[in-house]
Amino acid sequence: KLVAASELYDPQNELLCVIFEGSESRLFPPEEFRSKEWLRVLTDVGLQAGLDRKTFISSAKSLQAKAAAEKRASPETPLSPALSRNAQKLVMYMIEHYWELQNASFLGDIADIRFVPVTPPAAFSNDDMARGAQPLSDLVRFRDCGVEKDAHLLFTLKPVLQSALTPPQNLWSRLGIQSPPKKGEALQHIRRLITSDNGSLERWAYKDPPEEVFRSIFAYLQEHWNDISPNIKGALKDLPCVPMGNRLAKPSRLFFKLSVDLAPFMFEVPRGFGAYDALLKDLGAKSHPSAMDYAKLLGDLHAETSNQPLNPNELSAVLRVVQLLMACAAGSEASIPVEFQEEAAREANSLLESGDIFLPDDASVLRRRRELLYNDAPWLSKRISLDRTATVNRLHPRVKFDEARALRIPRLSTAIIEVLEAGFVPEVVLPTPQEELQLTETLSSAAFQEVLASLIAKDLNESGGVTNKQDELERVRAALLGLRVNFVKALRTRFLLKEGRHDLSSDEAGSLFFVDEMDRTIYLAIDLFPRSLQPGTAVAMAIQKLLMFDSRILMPISVLVASQADAIPTLMPLLHVGEDDASTEDSGRGVPGEPVSALDAEMLELKPLRLSLANEIVAFQDEGGQMRYAQVITPSVQQQAAAEESKGADAVRAVKLRVRPGEAKVLLSSEVYSFRRAGERKASSKPFALRLPMQRKDTPENLAQSSLLQQASTQAEPSGEEKSTREAPSRGDRLSGPVPKGVLLEAVQDLLAKADMSLSMDAEALMRENLQLKEDLRKASASTATYVEEIESLEQELKQARDAMICPITNTVMDDPVLCRVDGYTYEREAIMQWIQNHHRSPMNRERVREDDLVPNRALRDAIHELRSIKSSPDDTA
């Protein structure tokens, strides 16, 4: 067959050879016409040496047909390397010679041809992503692809064109390439990313690290946030979508400040995401955690772990969360700003009081607080079986006793009660042994009870507790009142859960001693005692169970209880216990509620206008006229603000005091006594002598003044363990900060009464009028100061707004501001583009920058334009 030279391709063109090789070799001159001389002749008469439009389209269709044939033959096998290379060469030829190929229909003709080599997107199992490292394995249309700059927003949905295979941007729309991707596609891609592998990033196989991918995603979400539907916003808030190490974290578990590392449950927002603070806040990130956040985290973990044990890292993090929750209650959580500490303390104490908190048991399984007991009696654990009930578990041993107490966890020894076995009646040893009588007599002696109270108070205070001897003495007397000792031959007891009365006994063994609180009897199974156990020791152990003191002081108590009451004072120094009178008095110095010592009475002074310091030791006079120590409680935010408002030095104030361990009280500063500094004492000083205020008659004027205390007051109730147990509030109990003028006059009257003096009614009326005028002047001055502060604040905000509109490069107000994702700064578009072309790095942090890293700052541009329109408005000339 004879053909025209113009219908054949030059075999010297490698691209044409590889595309039309094989069955289509008839498109090239026969072998005998492939010498250089013949090819020159054929070229002169029309042989096609390159690709024109028609040839290019034929080449593309040829590649499409070959790819389809390979897929039919082996659907699971990637394209042959040769076919992939040929397709790459053809696309690169099109990009390089586009101006030679283009005409009105060229792009439309090739838009539907599948000749673009790509790797299909992962179905997004990470195994599939790992396969993304394989050679190009499919031919698709341009419209089926995304471009490299959008890769982070669609690589699980669409194949991404290699940079070398990406046409010029001005051709994208005519080839069907969508950039940026459609909102629906981008959101579908984001959902695939954050819901795969249950939030794990351990098998992440995409070429770029997760942090880089999610920065692009956050930039997209932040730019389009207002266009996203509420349902999708809600889903994003509930799903883990922030990369933190090897996992994705929920935004609600991110905070801009954390004082303690709480991974893998709570995280501090990484600096790399600093440009997306607004978005992260919209998604649920907070400036700092609250007590409710800590409690909610424990509840969420309980639901997520489904009664499975925590691993060591999770357990450590949970215990840190528990400690932070208690720090919130104490007002000492470092993550929380000072101005929010008081609110956090109220919230935390409310949760600790009645909230549903989850804590780890001894198997590291999270349980409800009401299902846990603190194991303070290991011996008891060996005699009971908690498996008999599903409602009680032991608290994890890494939770300390003081933490368990703050968490309101009952102790095992108080939640489990020991009772005599039903039907069992102890057989009393007869005749009554003399030792039994002696033990009973010692328990009821005042000498033993005083020593016991002293030892308990001293041990508790040394171990970090707060108590005093007098309180402990009252407790000891109440516990030992009418208590007697009986020797019996045997005891049979059972251990019951106090709530529900479930029998938890795990053995049939009898007890050596038993305290019957109803019968006020300590039974000793004397016939079962081993030779090494003395009855006095058993009685001491019974008293320990009754009074719940530490076993550290058990030895001296067991010796004393076995001794004659009149021998106790002699034995105490021999046992190295007890204290002399001087140390007894000194140990109470400064302890809230203790009487003021004679030494300190010489230093007392009354200065009503003096501002007390937080935690300062002061004194007050109780209802009986006794001077007692107290401690100033750290002022609340409201008290501090009130002090600043009144300038502090010219007002009688309400002062919140700790008057006893666990009891707070609010008094007027005219009722609070301070101590002179040691250097100010005079040799002639005499002990402070006080007279009780004279009783005023219940005149209408006095009754009206007293009512002011209720009308003008604000609540100042203590929280947590500082709740007062008083029945009737004292004057000032409902006050905080500066006091009303009526109360001030009442304080003046009290001060004069202490010196046997009083105000006449005329003088009182004059003083009240004077105070009213001062109050009016103070309010007017405060209003003026407020207006001045507002003006200064507005001027500062205006300056900050103008500074934000100035380009860091040109130092002029911007026309077209763009945000650089790399450093978070906004620049004039033209200036930063020129900078990037010359330097390729950020002018702020010197990191590499591309033009693709710039996004329009539309909010700032609109603000600039609006400001300019206001300035140019004719109505603004004034």
Side-chain angles (χ1 to χ4, degrees):
K1 179 181 178 181
L2 296 177
V3 296
S6 58
E7 298 178 21
L8 300 177
Y9 300 122
D10 187 347
Q12 295 178 106
N13 188 313
E14 182 182 355
L15 178 59
L16 292 173
C17 286
V18 297
I19 290 176
F20 295 109
E21 65 183 348
S23 60
E24 299 187 66
S25 60
R26 55 185 171 77
L27 298 176
F28 298 94
E31 289 293 334
E32 59 267 28
F33 295 104
R34 293 191 182 186
S35 65
K36 291 182 179 180
E37 293 78 9
W38 269 112
L39 290 176
R40 260 196 307 270
V41 172
L42 294 176
T43 300
D44 290 340
V45 295
L47 183 67
Q48 297 186 43
L51 273 73
D52 56 13
R53 284 186 296 276
K54 180 180 178 182
T55 307
F56 183 91
I57 293 172
S58 299
S59 301
K61 289 181 177 179
S62 173
L63 292 174
Q64 177 178 255
K66 289 181 179 181
E70 286 190 5
K71 288 295 182 183
R72 284 195 300 271
S74 182
E76 300 300 324
T77 304
L79 292 180
S80 63
L83 185 55
S84 295
R85 286 195 301 270
N86 296 341
Q88 282 182 280
K89 292 177 180 179
L90 187 62
V91 174
M92 293 171 67
Y93 183 90
M94 183 206 80
I95 296 171
E96 185 176 350
H97 298 86
Y98 170 71
W99 297 110
E100 302 171 15
L101 300 172
Q102 67 93 22
N103 68 1
S105 63
F106 175 70
L107 292 178
D109 293 337
I110 66 171
D112 291 325
I113 304 176
R114 300 178 184 274
F115 72 101
V116 183
V118 294
T119 298
F124 208 67
S125 128
N126 271 300
D127 290 335
D128 292 332
M129 270 211 301
R131 287 198 290 270
Q134 296 176 356
L136 302 177
S137 58
D138 201 2
L139 298 185
V140 299
R141 300 168 297 187
F142 276 112
R143 71 178 58 169
D144 301 323
C145 306
V147 292
E148 184 67 30
K149 77 180 187 70
D150 298 327
H152 293 167
L153 301 176
L154 49 70
F155 65 78
T156 65
L157 297 177
K158 284 185 174 184
V160 178
L161 287 171
Q162 294 181 355
S163 297
L165 305 182
T166 304
Q169 187 168 351
N170 61 331
L171 305 182
W172 290 358
S173 60
R174 296 167 66 188
L175 289 170
I177 298 174
Q178 180 80 32
S179 179
K182 296 178 181 177
K183 183 177 66 176
E185 291 179 341
L187 293 175
Q188 184 181 356
H189 164 74
I190 294 170
R191 184 173 183 82
R192 283 192 179 187
L193 279 180
I194 63 181
T195 57
S196 65
D197 283 353
N198 198 27
S200 173
L201 299 175
E202 292 179 351
R203 299 193 302 162
W204 179 272
Y206 185 65
K207 62 185 182 67
D208 294 331
E211 292 77 10
E212 186 176 335
V213 170
F214 278 88
R215 271 199 296 269
S216 300
I217 289 174
F218 292 159
Y220 179 86
L221 290 175
Q222 187 161 275
E223 185 176 354
H224 297 85
W225 186 251
N226 293 334
D227 301 326
I228 297 175
S229 71
N231 289 339
I232 295 177
K233 288 180 179 178
L236 288 172
K237 293 177 181 179
D238 293 336
L239 291 171
C241 61
V242 184
M244 300 300 302
N246 60 1
R247 292 197 62 80
L248 292 174
K250 291 183 178 179
S252 59
R253 294 185 184 176
L254 264 66
F255 303 91
F256 294 97
K257 181 182 179 183
L258 274 182
S259 60
V260 178
D261 179 15
L262 296 178
F265 300 131
M266 283 183 168
F267 306 90
E268 193 167 67
V269 174
R271 292 184 179 180
F273 295 151
Y276 314 109
D277 287 359
L279 172 70
L280 292 174
K281 288 179 181 178
D282 287 335
L283 289 172
K286 298 181 180 179
S287 60
H288 59 270
S290 65
M292 186 62 71
D293 290 321
Y294 291 135
K296 184 178 184 304
L297 171 66
L298 295 173
D300 291 346
L301 292 178
H302 172 260
E304 293 170 9
T305 55
S306 303
N307 291 328
Q308 295 299 311
L310 303 170
N311 69 35
N313 293 316
E314 294 170 334
L315 175 63
S316 296
V318 163
L319 293 176
R320 289 195 294 270
V321 169
V322 173
Q323 291 168 349
L324 289 170
L325 181 58
M326 291 187 292
C328 286
S332 59
E333 215 290 67
S335 298
I336 301 177
V338 174
E339 60 268 26
F340 298 114
Q341 289 281 9
E342 187 172 358
E343 179 183 351
R346 283 197 301 269
E347 183 181 65
N349 280 298
S350 175
L351 286 168
L352 292 176
E353 197 66 38
S354 58
D356 198 8
I357 299 175
F358 292 86
L359 302 165
D361 65 9
D362 56 356
S364 297
V365 175
L366 286 173
R367 307 281 186 187
R368 281 183 169 83
R369 177 174 54 172
R370 63 173 178 268
E371 300 172 358
L372 293 168
L373 298 174
Y374 176 75
N375 186 10
D376 65 330
W379 66 269
L380 183 56
S381 297
K382 299 180 182 301
R383 298 201 59 187
I384 63 174
S385 174
L386 294 183
D387 295 337
R388 294 171 178 263
T389 173
T391 60
V392 178
N393 300 273
R394 296 180 187 87
L395 185 65
H396 197 280
R398 285 176 61 182
V399 180
K400 300 176 183 177
F401 172 69
D402 56 341
E403 295 172 339
R405 182 171 56 185
L407 290 164
R408 282 62 162 179
I409 304 295
R411 291 176 292 182
L412 183 67
S413 58
T414 58
I416 306 296
I417 58 174
E418 186 178 14
V419 298
L420 289 173
E421 191 176 274
F424 176 78
V425 178
E427 183 181 351
V428 179
V429 174
L430 294 173
T432 303
Q434 185 62 32
E435 190 174 9
E436 176 185 307
L437 298 174
Q438 178 267 312
L439 289 168
T440 300
E441 180 182 354
T442 300
L443 290 179
S444 61
S445 70
F448 174 76
Q449 292 178 1
E450 286 186 10
V451 173
L452 178 59
S454 178
L455 289 173
I456 293 174
K458 185 173 184 293
D459 178 73
L460 185 58
N461 287 328
E462 289 178 351
S463 60
V466 179
T467 187
N468 58 64
K469 180 180 175 180
Q470 188 59 37
D471 287 347
E472 291 302 325
L473 182 57
E474 294 175 4
R475 192 167 72 93
V476 167
R477 285 172 176 169
L480 301 186
L481 181 65
L483 196 64
R484 66 180 184 273
V485 178
N486 275 171
F487 287 7
V488 296
K489 294 185 177 180
L491 285 171
R492 298 193 66 81
T493 60
R494 307 295 293 174
F495 295 95
L496 308 181
L497 186 63
K498 184 183 292 186
E499 192 172 322
R501 313 293 288 189
H502 297 292
D503 190 344
L504 304 180
S505 305
S506 61
D507 58 40
E508 301 297 327
S511 295
L512 296 178
F513 65 87
F514 172 70
V515 182
D516 189 336
E517 296 187 44
M518 296 292 295
D519 196 35
R520 309 299 298 159
T521 302
I522 299 176
Y523 292 106
L524 302 183
I526 198 70
D527 289 354
L528 302 179
F529 274 31
R531 291 183 180 179
S532 58
L533 180 63
Q534 298 299 315
T537 303
V539 172
M541 294 168 65
I543 296 173
Q544 180 195 19
K545 183 178 180 181
L546 197 62
L547 289 170
M548 302 305 298
F549 54 79
D550 196 275
S551 58
R552 289 188 295 266
I553 59 175
L554 191 60
M555 188 278 288
I557 292 175
S558 64
V559 175
L560 294 172
V561 78
S563 306
Q564 297 291 337
D566 55 3
I568 289 177
T570 306
L571 282 173
M572 287 174 59
L574 300 177
L575 293 173
H576 296 187
V577 297
E579 49 194 10
D580 57 28
D581 293 338
S583 63
T584 299
E585 182 179 7
D586 196 64
S587 65
R589 288 187 70 192
V591 177
E594 290 291 318
V596 174
S597 68
L599 177 63
D600 289 338
E602 298 180 5
M603 308 181 202
L604 285 174
E605 60 182 359
L606 183 61
K607 292 185 175 180
L609 303 183
R610 176 180 179 274
L611 285 177
S612 300
L613 301 175
N615 300 317
E616 179 182 0
I617 300 299
V618 294
F620 72 102
Q621 192 175 34
D622 66 12
E623 292 80 357
Q626 174 70 53
M627 296 300 298
R628 295 188 179 275
Y629 294 107
Q631 185 179 32
V632 178
I633 295 175
T634 303
S636 68
V637 174
Q638 291 85 352
Q639 288 172 318
Q640 292 175 4
E644 183 176 328
E645 179 184 353
S646 66
K647 306 307 179 188
D650 61 352
V652 172
R653 306 186 51 72
V655 183
K656 187 176 181 182
L657 303 177
R658 184 177 291 106
V659 295
R660 290 169 63 92
E663 181 178 335
K665 199 172 188 178
V666 180
L667 298 176
L668 295 177
S669 57
S670 60
E671 300 173 295
V672 178
Y673 300 84
S674 57
F675 297 95
R676 286 193 300 272
R677 297 175 58 185
E680 297 173 353
R681 295 182 58 194
K682 297 180 180 179
S684 60
S685 295
K686 296 181 179 180
F688 194 86
L690 288 173
R691 290 180 291 275
L692 290 175
M694 295 186 298
Q695 299 296 321
R696 297 193 306 277
K697 296 180 180 180
D698 290 335
T699 63
E701 180 68 20
N702 287 336
L703 292 174
Q705 290 177 357
S706 298
S707 68
L708 289 174
L709 292 170
Q710 303 300 325
Q711 297 172 3
S713 63
T714 56
Q715 184 137 353
E717 289 294 329
S719 60
E721 63 180 26
E722 292 179 357
K723 287 186 178 177
S724 174
T725 57
R726 293 174 283 109
E727 294 181 0
S730 68
R731 186 181 65 189
D733 276 355
R734 299 285 178 178
L735 294 177
S736 176
V739 298
K741 55 183 179 294
V743 180
L744 179 62
L745 286 174
E746 188 177 347
V748 172
Q749 287 180 336
D750 278 352
L751 290 172
L752 294 174
K754 290 176 182 179
D756 288 335
M757 299 172 63
S758 66
L759 285 173
S760 68
M761 291 306 295
D762 291 340
E764 182 176 346
L766 181 61
M767 183 176 290
R768 177 174 284 105
E769 184 178 357
N770 186 24
L771 288 173
Q772 182 62 50
L773 291 173
K774 286 187 175 181
E775 177 69 11
D776 293 343
L777 179 61
R778 185 191 65 79
K779 289 181 178 179
S781 299
S783 298
T784 303
T786 300
Y787 292 141
V788 171
E789 290 176 0
E790 290 179 357
I791 292 172
E792 291 176 349
S793 176
L794 289 172
E795 289 177 345
Q796 182 64 23
E797 290 178 4
L798 184 60
K799 181 179 180 302
Q800 292 175 351
R802 187 180 185 283
D803 290 344
M805 297 177 181
I806 294 177
C807 173
I809 298 175
T810 65
N811 203 30
T812 59
V813 177
M814 292 175 278
D815 289 317
D816 186 8
V818 292
L819 174 66
C820 179
R821 297 175 181 171
V822 174
D823 59 16
Y825 284 85
T826 298
Y827 305 90
E828 177 65 44
R829 180 187 295 275
E830 184 178 352
I832 188 62
M833 294 277 283
Q834 184 66 35
W835 180 279
I836 292 173
Q837 291 174 8
N838 294 337
H839 302 281
H840 308 291
R841 293 184 181 276
S842 163
M844 292 300 179
N845 62 12
R846 311 307 298 167
E847 293 186 14
R848 293 195 66 83
V849 181
R850 301 178 303 175
E851 292 182 5
D852 293 344
D853 294 320
L854 305 178
V855 294
N857 193 333
R858 295 188 176 89
L860 183 57
R861 182 190 62 193
D862 294 345
I864 293 171
H865 291 172
E866 182 176 354
L867 184 60
R868 284 176 171 162
S869 66
I870 292 173
K871 287 186 175 181
S872 62
S873 172
D875 295 335
D876 197 41
T877 55

